[in-house]
Amino acid sequence: MVPRGRLRSLMLALSALCAQILLTATPSAHATPVVERVFSNAVGARDYYLHVPPGDPTGKPLMVYLHGCTDPQRQLADTGFALTRLADELGFVLAYPIQTGAANERFCWNWFDPANQPRGQGESSIIADLTTALIDEFGLDRARVYVGGYSAGGAMSTVLAAAYPDLYAAIAPMAGGPYQLDPQIFRADLSGASIVSAMGARARPVPGFFLQDLADQTSLYPIGRANLAQWLGAYRLAGEAATPSVPTAVTVNTDPVPTTVERYDTGSCALAEFHTPLGPDHIGGGLLMQSARGFALQHTMMNFLLAHRIGGPRQACG
């Protein structure tokens, strides 16, 4: 047996190696134009980037991607808006809302602030109203609308799913945290009851694509497991009583890094996928989701999301 200290050293070394690979010799991203716009509602205004794939957008799906912290405009520009390549290939409209330094000095979405969590209030309402405005403007498919993100963006996507389960067919909360997690004491209701309570009469299981790196020292791995446990609980309370407690399938892939994938299915409905990459750390994981190096992982995320159509109350899959 490998001593625990040596095993930890080995894992950290592998994580560092993966990060180095990702941060060097990254292929250039697919050059696709994005347009910078502004959206405002009664709560406030946010800039956002928009990419519409070639052809008539009518009836296409919509993906809203929420960035993590630290200078998001430079972050997205430096990585070439990598998801636009997938938007062209798979045929969906893509929006990147941008947090302001005035709202958070580190440009984080304020997912942890109770003022931003209820339906119709705070930052979540700006993102949700932007989503609805884009659906109306381009005649998009209301049954295939998705939101996801990384770190603070991942955590905000869980807020949006709880407040707007009738808007988003599925979510991708990556390296985020459970709904209403108290970041000071790392405590949250893991039963899922708080999510279903927030959903109210609109309550439905909202399928999720989860990702939590094993070596992440910022969003720790147990936080990701707690996030999954909370949503599995919410699925049961919101209508899918047969939601499994253990994966219905486990697979392993190596592109772009070694990753274990757990699936949680009920019948033909894929409720959740939980991805556990072995390295890199938090920043490297964010780069995987926003650079050409992580194209295979981004493809996997979008394939999961696009397979879902919104269900009615108490329904996960439409």
Side-chain angles (χ1 to χ4, degrees), residues 27 79 109 129 159 164 172 174 182 197 214 216 237 242 255 261 264 266 280 282 289 308 310:
T79 54
W109 296 104
D129 286 354
V159 171
Y164 301 90
M174 299 174 290
D182 185 332
S197 176
L214 193 61
D216 195 326
L237 295 173
D255 188 4
V261 181
Y264 296 80
T266 55
H282 194 71
M289 296 313 303
H308 292 82
I310 199 164

Side-chain angles (χ1 to χ4, degrees), residues 280-304:
D281 198 355
H282 194 71
I283 294 175
L287 287 173
L288 283 181
M289 296 313 303
Q290 291 183 188
S291 72
R293 178 67 69 184
F295 182 71
L297 180 58
Q298 297 159 25
H299 211 295
T300 300
M301 175 189 71
M302 289 309 308
N303 281 342
F304 176 89

Side-chain angles (χ1 to χ4, degrees), residues 80 128 133 189 268 275 315:
D189 159 46
S268 61
H275 291 243
Q315 294 180 331

Side-chain angles (χ1 to χ4, degrees), residues 19 22-23 69-70 75 106 150-151 175 213 215-219 280-291:
L22 286 165
L23 293 170
C69 304
T70 69
Q75 181 186 126
R106 296 187 59 226
Y150 190 83
S151 191
D213 192 279
D216 195 326
Q217 297 298 304
T218 300
S219 180
D281 198 355
H282 194 71
I283 294 175
L287 287 173
L288 283 181
M289 296 313 303
Q290 291 183 188
S291 72

Side-chain angles (χ1 to χ4, degrees), residues 223-255:
I223 296 176
R225 299 303 313 191
N227 196 14
L228 174 67
Q230 185 188 57
W231 279 93
L232 292 177
Y235 296 159
R236 297 185 191 99
L237 295 173
E240 284 289 350
T243 298
S245 299
V246 296
T248 51
V250 179
T251 57
V252 177
N253 62 52
T254 58
D255 188 4

